[in-house]
Amino acid sequence: MTIRSDDQPWWTQRGPILALLLLSLIPLLQPGLPPLTDLPGHVGRWHIATAPAASPLHRYFSVDWVWVGNLGTDLLALPLIGLLGPVGAGHAIAILIVALNVGGMICLSRAVHGRMSETGLFALPLAFAWPFQMGFINFQLAQGLALIGLAGWISLGKRDHGRWRATLSIPLALMLWTCHSAGWGLFGLMAAGTEIAARREQGDRLSIALRNAVIACVPLAAPLLPMLLAAPAGAVASPSADWFNLPNKLLWIASTFRNHWQWVDLASLGVILFLLYVAWRDPRLHFSARLLLPAALVSGAFLILPRLMMGGAYVDMRLVPAIWMLLLLSVQPAGDSRLARTIAFAGLAFLAARTVAVTWSYAEQLAERRADLSLVSHIPRGSAVLAL
């Protein structure tokens, strides 16, 4: 029997889903570069990389392009700068990143549950979680693509298109690694988890499920080749540090929504925790192992990884929002229509409240930044300037 679109809950239909996506983008529609901590540094690098040959910048900087796993937004910015300038390119890329993460969560829910789940609405504001506020845009780009890629991985697996999935996994892995190596690692953990869960659902013993999951994930190792080729002879890896720092990890968890007002951000995390507790206790709600197991694997990686690794900082912290996303998206749609509507309306209210809070905080921060930038016109041209 085919269910008419009119009979489907409103939050599963295309029009409302598109509206939810547009609602999520509202904080970034304000004029000016979004106030993300590391974003100005990225924009400055793009400006230097695209400076004309006669620019005095070349007296101080040179650009040597190498294929490494942290170039996602740099490659996107090159064609955009000619159209929008460096600041415009940064603004457009920030919007794209949020759209990919929100769209990825929607696609992932549809791949697992066949529709947008009610609890999944609570996951959408995580597109603006702390790693995004910190301006980790290469990782955030990779995370959005990883969510979309995982939706495709699950869908192809359900259709028994194993060969197609294996073939497509190679360019996908290379693209994710090029965007950010941690994003590639995140996808590998999620793909392995959902594959193990799928094999177990099909009746495989745990040992067989693990073996088959490893075989399925072998094409995802494709980036190891450019990693080996790009490594210069005699290169020494950056030291890893700050292992198993439990107080820091608890702080990263508490800082999931960290933005501007501490009480608002902590209350938002409290809403997520309460919802997951209700889903765990209520017999009308159930978790899908296809996303619950990936959440467990990513949680394990978060606990094991240090803060400093391979030249990057906050390596473990970046994984926290993905854990919450997977947990919220793993809750299956409620069979009780009244309960489903209640959760859906609460999710919409949560998304609206977070959107208002982030939009307001960005407006205040952008006003402060405009006041700071007004000082630039008073600096003599050609002066050396130290910015902290």
Side-chain angles (χ1 to χ4, degrees):
M1 181 179 66
T2 302
I3 300 176
R4 296 183 308 164
S5 60
D6 293 343
D7 298 329
Q8 296 178 3
W10 63 266
W11 61 90
T12 67
Q13 299 180 31
R14 291 182 181 178
I17 284 179
L18 179 59
L20 292 172
L21 176 58
L22 295 176
L23 174 63
S24 301
L25 298 176
I26 286 177
L28 297 174
L29 301 183
Q30 306 175 70
L33 191 68
L36 313 178
T37 304
D38 281 3
L39 184 55
H42 286 275
V43 171
R45 184 166 73 242
W46 306 338
H47 177 61
I48 293 169
T50 57
S55 172
L57 287 170
H58 295 300
R59 289 184 295 171
Y60 307 100
F61 302 99
S62 62
V63 179
D64 182 20
W65 286 95
V66 178
W67 190 15
V68 295
N70 196 5
L71 293 176
T73 58
D74 299 79
L75 298 177
L76 274 179
L78 291 179
L80 289 176
I81 285 176
L83 299 172
L84 305 173
V87 172
H91 198 166
I93 288 172
I95 292 173
L96 174 64
I97 287 172
V98 171
L100 286 173
N101 277 272
V102 172
M105 286 183 266
I106 293 171
C107 291
L108 188 54
S109 181
R110 291 172 66 90
V112 175
H113 307 301
R115 72 182 210 190
M116 184 64 195
S117 64
E118 303 83 60
T119 55
L121 298 174
F122 287 84
L124 302 185
L126 288 163
F128 285 91
W130 195 26
F132 181 75
Q133 306 294 349
M134 290 287 284
F136 297 155
I137 55 176
N138 284 333
F139 172 77
Q140 288 297 118
L141 176 64
Q143 177 181 270
L145 293 172
L147 293 171
I148 296 173
L150 185 63
W153 175 281
I154 293 172
S155 297
L156 289 173
K158 285 183 174 181
R159 294 176 173 85
D160 292 326
H161 294 327
R163 291 184 179 179
W164 271 108
R165 189 174 70 177
T167 302
L168 294 173
S169 293
I170 296 174
L172 174 62
L174 291 170
M175 178 176 64
L176 290 173
W177 174 78
T178 301
C179 288
H180 199 281
S181 55
W184 166 55
L186 172 64
F187 179 80
L189 289 170
M190 295 191 300
T194 195
E195 189 66 15
I196 294 170
R199 299 287 181 173
R200 290 287 288 164
E201 288 177 3
Q202 294 169 9
D204 288 353
R205 297 197 310 273
L206 180 59
S207 59
I208 302 299
L210 289 172
R211 184 197 67 186
N212 290 336
V214 169
I215 294 172
C217 291
V218 165
L220 298 177
L224 292 176
L225 181 59
M227 289 174 68
L228 293 173
L229 294 177
V236 179
S238 300
S240 300
D242 204 10
W243 293 82
F244 307 112
N245 188 331
L246 185 58
N248 262 0
K249 292 184 185 295
L250 292 174
L251 177 61
W252 303 158
I253 294 172
S255 300
T256 297
F257 289 100
R258 185 170 177 171
N259 177 27
H260 201 52
W261 297 288
Q262 186 181 67
W263 69 272
V264 173
D265 301 332
L266 289 176
S268 299
L269 179 59
V271 170
I272 298 299
L273 293 171
F274 176 74
L275 177 64
L276 290 172
Y277 174 78
V278 169
W280 174 52
R281 297 289 294 178
D282 195 314
R284 294 170 296 178
L285 295 172
H286 306 279
F287 290 87
S288 169
R290 294 202 181 198
L291 292 181
L292 196 59
L293 186 53
L297 292 182
V298 177
S299 299
F302 166 69
L303 293 173
I304 294 171
L305 287 173
R307 180 176 62 87
L308 303 172
M309 186 177 182
M310 297 176 65
Y314 299 99
V315 174
D316 54 348
M317 178 270 277
R318 300 169 194 239
L319 300 179
V320 172
I323 297 170
W324 297 124
M325 290 176 190
L326 293 168
L327 287 173
L328 290 166
L329 292 169
S330 69
V331 181
Q332 298 176 358
D336 186 318
S337 60
R338 183 177 180 181
L339 176 62
R341 285 195 301 270
T342 301
I343 296 175
F345 279 110
L348 178 61
F350 182 70
L351 173 59
R354 285 301 309 174
T355 300
V356 169
V358 176
T359 303
W360 190 348
S361 72
Y362 280 12
E364 289 192 359
Q365 294 176 68
L366 287 169
E368 294 173 359
R369 180 170 291 178
R370 281 191 289 270
D372 293 341
L373 290 175
S374 66
L375 300 175
V376 173
S377 60
H378 300 284
I379 301 175
R381 190 171 183 83
S383 299
V385 178
L386 172 64
L388 297 179

